[in-house]
Amino acid sequence: MGQRIDVNHLNIYYGDCLAVEDVNINIEANKVTAFIGPSGCGKSTVLRTLDRMHEIIPGAHCEGEVLLEGKNLYDKDIDPVAVRRDVGMVFQRANPFPTMSIRENVLAGVRLNNRKISKSDADDLVEWALRGANLWNEVKDRLDNPGIGLSGGQQQRLCIARAVAVHPQVLLMDEPCSALDPISTLAVEDLINELKNDYTIVIVTHNMQQAARIADYTAFFNLKAVGQPGHLEYFTDTTTMFNNPQNEEAERYVSGRFG
């Protein structure tokens, strides 16, 4: 089952520069939460703090709390690698490992975590993850072929299979459909709807219709002016956000009268 995330007074920095200011948000378990807002307002930056990937960038750090089921991911004794096992990430560009087969791509995270796994367990896991990513029937006869040989939409679903294979609690998705055609986009959206039964999902998207279609809750990020830090402007259930937002900036943004 997915786990809830509570973000308290999160300030995110690149070096000395405050990029996103004082974010407070409660992300429900087993729901889809979408982050929307203009470019440069910090959506993807906030997303990357949820699995401690932000700090991989030299000089980048944050202050505040990110609680996964009440446990602060930034406590001194927490291993960032363990965090990234519990919180998986799917990126904007599908990034299967180019030298690996479809099968080895699915198993990559498991092997990275030094889990010894028998061949039969590995076979079962590969099938389970690919079925979970709605990809099994398309690739089951060519598991030893390079993952990079798949179409864009299939590659993105392969990356989702790779992410779920390590059994995370949370899946983060940074514009996972922006490079895909409409049919592949719908396949991934259908998949996200199914995956929320097992995972908590947070997705960054520039596609308003996508947020309206798949998100249970929507967070609108904004910035007061160029060069100012981003902030969470408004957070509500998706129906309210798109039909009756109680925030003027959000209303302008979702109705296309923004900027």
Side-chain angles (χ1 to χ4, degrees), residues 202-220:
V202 187
I203 178 170
V204 169
T205 180
H206 277 291
N207 182 330
M208 294 292 139
Q209 289 79 14
Q210 179 167 75
R213 280 193 299 263
I214 64 169
D216 300 290
Y217 297 94
T218 300
F220 171 59

Side-chain angles (χ1 to χ4, degrees), residues 94-106 130 135 139 142-159 162:
N95 57 347
F97 297 116
T99 59
M100 289 187 189
S101 67
I102 293 168
R103 172 191 162 82
E104 286 304 318
N105 260 288
V106 176
L130 289 169
L135 192 57
V139 302
R142 46 182 176 142
L143 294 176
D144 293 323
N145 291 10
I148 204 95
L150 297 172
S151 73
Q154 289 172 326
Q155 285 187 26
Q156 192 57 293
R157 282 179 288 149
L158 176 61
C159 293
R162 185 175 70 199

Side-chain angles (χ1 to χ4, degrees), residues 105-250:
N105 260 288
V106 176
L107 294 171
V110 180
R111 299 215 194 288
L112 207 73
N113 292 321
N114 297 326
R115 293 233 320 267
K116 294 283 179 277
I117 184 166
S118 70
K119 178 162 184 336
S120 65
D121 285 350
D123 290 345
D124 290 346
L125 180 61
V126 168
E127 179 173 347
W128 174 83
L130 289 169
R131 281 191 188 281
N134 284 347
L135 192 57
W136 174 251
N137 288 335
E138 293 164 58
V139 302
K140 63 184 180 197
D141 299 325
R142 46 182 176 142
L143 294 176
D144 293 323
N145 291 10
I148 204 95
L150 297 172
S151 73
Q154 289 172 326
Q155 285 187 26
Q156 192 57 293
R157 282 179 288 149
L158 176 61
C159 293
I160 294 171
R162 185 175 70 199
V164 301
V166 295
H167 297 296
Q169 311 296 323
V170 178
L171 277 178
L172 309 177
M173 301 188 170
D174 194 358
E175 293 189 63
C177 302
S178 64
L180 304 182
D181 63 86
I183 289 171
S184 298
T185 295
L186 283 176
V188 172
E189 287 181 5
D190 286 346
L191 175 55
I192 290 168
N193 268 326
E194 289 171 31
L195 289 172
K196 75 177 180 186
N197 294 321
D198 298 307
Y199 311 97
T200 302
I201 296 175
V202 187
I203 178 170
V204 169
T205 180
H206 277 291
N207 182 330
M208 294 292 139
Q209 289 79 14
Q210 179 167 75
R213 280 193 299 263
I214 64 169
D216 300 290
Y217 297 94
T218 300
F220 171 59
F221 288 85
N222 200 1
L223 56 173
K224 292 184 179 70
V226 176
Q228 295 284 312
H231 62 275
L232 175 59
E233 175 89 30
Y234 184 53
F235 178 56
T236 185
D237 65 277
T238 298
T239 308
T240 303
M241 179 68 80
F242 288 98
N243 296 336
N244 188 25
Q246 305 299 302
N247 174 289
E248 196 178 330
E249 292 286 298

Side-chain angles (χ1 to χ4, degrees), residues 74-94:
Y74 287 88
D75 275 349
K76 296 268 184 292
D77 56 348
I78 299 283
D79 174 10
V81 177
V83 170
R84 295 178 204 126
R85 267 200 301 269
D86 285 338
V87 185
M89 175 77 87
V90 177
F91 296 93
Q92 183 171 5
R93 296 256 163 211

